[in-house]
Amino acid sequence: MRCTVGVDVGTSSSKGVLVAEDGTILRTVTRAHTVERPRSGWVEMDANVWWQEFIDILRELLSSTDESEPAGAPTVVAVGVSGMGPCVLLADQNDEPVRPGILYGVDTRSTAQIRRLTEELGVDEITRVGGSVLTSQAAGAKIVWVADEEPMAWARARRLFMPASWLACKLTGAYVLDHQSASQVSPLYDIEREQWHEPWWSRYAASIEPPALTWAGDVAGHVTPEASAITGIPAGTPVITGTIDAWTEAVSVGAHGPGDLMLMYGTTMFLVATGSETLRTPSMWTTAGAFPGTRNLAGGMSTSGALTAWLKDLTAAGYAELLAEAARSGPGARGLLMLPYFAGERTPIQDPDARGVIAGLTLRHGRGDLYRAALEAIAFGVRHNVETMRQAGADIRRVVAVGGGTQGRLWLQIVSDVTGLVQEVPTTTIGASYGAAFLAATAVARDGAMPRIEHWNPVAERVIPDPEAKSAYDALFQRYLALYDATADVVHELAATQLD
């Protein structure tokens, strides 16, 4: 039986899936991990953990196969990779990391470099070349941070990786990066020409060899005998280049065509709107798409599942209890209003010094009210992003929800009620690992057997907004916007005292 493997390295875990040719999931494996936060605003991870987890996942996926199955023992014909991003992993000439990988926009260490690059290059020119202003999401600024702050590591650095490209290299020896990921190495990528911007690369990253550019579903190389011996994947098996997890999640549910918006309910919330035109706005991220001819306007919230998990741990209650109590609390959380900026915020406010705020607390409020307020706060953040995208010209006609958070219907309903959006929920919401397996399947499809994601993963349900709840949330959303403006100065002063 022909199968593909997909592995995704996420913020809180790595996930692997073994998928049959028709899209049926045969095996899934997860390895939980934690990121390191050595200082306030720093979020990083040892890349060797990514590779070891990949090895462990593959061994378990392949060792658990049953040769007595009617369809026969699974034969892996291609491997898909995916990972969080944009990250900055710098390695030496032997592809050994010179320091831990620096994570995406939740890592805010490069504020000084963002300011310096913006002053040196000019915001208009940065936006013209790369599509976006520089924010904590800009991987290029984090490369410059290493050059400025860690000269010993910088002196050894010769190559740039992200989690997906790191796995592809470990498996095949290929040094590549997909266009979508590259477009977030701002300001070093020219989005219109779809190539590295040589003048700025030479100025800020001259000692780093630019990775070859390809597309997410293209074959990067083939599994080496050495990687085969370690992982159990047959030598010579094709491995795709892969891309950042949010875009691979969009692939997993078919939400990568013009007019589509993908909502990824994970540790953080990610939004990807797809079109054919390059849209520019200082509040969002303009990127290349996962496929040729597409462009994205993307946004990301710094907390989503991270906030609900924090409340779960704080209250020592289970998710089922909290969801039931939140449902009883009702729209508006009995007069509570929360800002979800517990780890700063990315889009659309682009404020790493924002912090969480809970307004309206009384002695009568309980944990269910707090949990309801958190779900509503995340929904308000989604609406803020969607409205900003539309103001920038995004044509949003179809919304698809994906990720672990889609398992809770209350959360989905609150987001639809707050935003007024109908959300399609696919049959399979396992996420980026499934999308990576699909891309791998398309890369090796036989004549006349090209897989289609609507066959692999059809829509299971649609979440329809409640007009009465939407009306109530409209007023609360205006208070949500006002609460940030009213508290920002005090919150920034407090953030300055939180040094570790």
Side-chain angles (χ1 to χ4, degrees), residues 114-473:
I114 290 169
R115 184 166 50 249
R116 183 182 120 212
L117 292 174
T118 301
E119 290 173 352
E120 291 176 358
L121 304 176
V123 66
D124 291 342
E125 189 66 2
I126 289 171
T127 304
R128 184 191 69 79
V129 171
S132 303
V133 299
L134 300 184
T135 69
S136 65
Q137 192 79 350
K142 291 173 183 176
I143 294 172
V144 177
W145 181 92
V146 177
D148 288 348
E149 301 295 332
E150 296 183 348
M152 294 182 65
W154 181 250
R156 297 167 50 217
R158 294 294 180 270
R159 286 185 163 186
L160 167 68
F161 294 97
M162 295 191 191
S165 65
W166 173 250
L167 294 181
C169 181
K170 297 292 281 186
L171 287 166
T172 71
Y175 179 46
V176 298
L177 190 67
D178 69 286
H179 283 277
Q180 201 293 312
S181 300
S183 70
Q184 299 199 58
V185 188
S186 306
L188 306 183
Y189 178 89
D190 188 323
I191 193 166
E192 298 296 355
R193 295 181 178 178
E194 296 181 344
Q195 63 186 33
W196 296 116
H197 188 60
E198 197 279 332
W200 292 351
W201 188 284
S202 297
R203 181 171 178 178
Y204 296 109
S207 61
I208 306 297
E209 176 191 352
L213 294 172
T214 182
W215 295 96
D218 291 344
V219 173
H222 298 80
V223 174
T224 65
E226 294 79 9
S228 174
I230 296 171
T231 64
I233 305 168
T237 302
V239 180
I240 64 165
T241 300
T243 188
I244 292 172
D245 54 7
W247 280 261
T248 319
E249 292 235 21
V251 169
S252 79
V253 294
H256 51 76
D260 289 344
L261 173 69
M262 190 268 306
L263 295 182
M264 187 178 83
Y265 292 74
T267 304
T268 65
M269 178 73 74
F270 217 89
L271 307 90
V272 180
T274 301
S276 57
E277 182 183 356
T278 303
L279 301 176
R280 291 172 169 83
T281 171
S283 300
M284 310 299 291
W285 306 314
T286 299
T287 74
F291 301 100
T294 59
R295 293 288 182 271
N296 298 125
L297 200 58
M301 297 168 60
S302 294
T303 62
S304 180
L307 179 53
T308 58
W310 175 76
L311 275 169
K312 171 183 165 293
D313 294 342
L314 191 68
T315 60
Y319 283 121
E321 293 176 278
L322 291 169
L323 284 167
E325 293 172 12
R328 290 194 293 272
S329 178
R334 297 202 304 148
L336 288 187
L337 184 60
M338 184 183 295
L339 298 182
Y341 311 144
F342 283 58
E345 188 54 294
R346 296 186 286 169
T347 62
I349 64 173
Q350 304 285 8
D351 184 357
D353 293 324
R355 294 294 183 267
V357 174
I358 305 174
L361 273 172
T362 72
L363 297 175
R364 297 179 59 237
H365 287 111
R367 65 189 185 187
D369 301 314
L370 284 169
Y371 200 75
R372 176 85 187 206
L375 297 178
E376 292 178 347
I378 297 162
F380 289 136
V382 171
R383 176 169 172 174
H384 198 183
N385 275 279
V386 169
E387 291 192 358
T388 304
M389 287 177 166
R390 283 179 163 157
Q391 289 166 6
D395 176 22
I396 297 172
R397 289 175 271 122
R398 173 174 171 260
V399 180
V400 185
V402 69
T406 59
Q407 302 303 313
R409 177 59 187 258
L410 177 63
W411 194 0
L412 287 169
Q413 189 63 56
I414 289 173
V415 169
S416 280
D417 291 346
V418 167
T419 62
L421 297 171
V422 176
Q423 297 179 82
E424 294 184 1
V425 184
T427 302
T428 298
T429 58
I430 196 171
S433 58
Y434 191 67
F438 176 80
L439 286 175
T442 63
V444 296
R446 294 173 290 187
D447 291 344
M450 181 64 70
R452 298 175 63 87
I453 196 62
E454 60 266 33
H455 297 156
W456 270 41
N457 196 12
V459 173
E461 65 171 321
R462 289 174 172 81
V463 183
I464 310 298
D466 178 345
E468 186 175 341
K470 172 66 166 57
S471 178
Y473 282 132

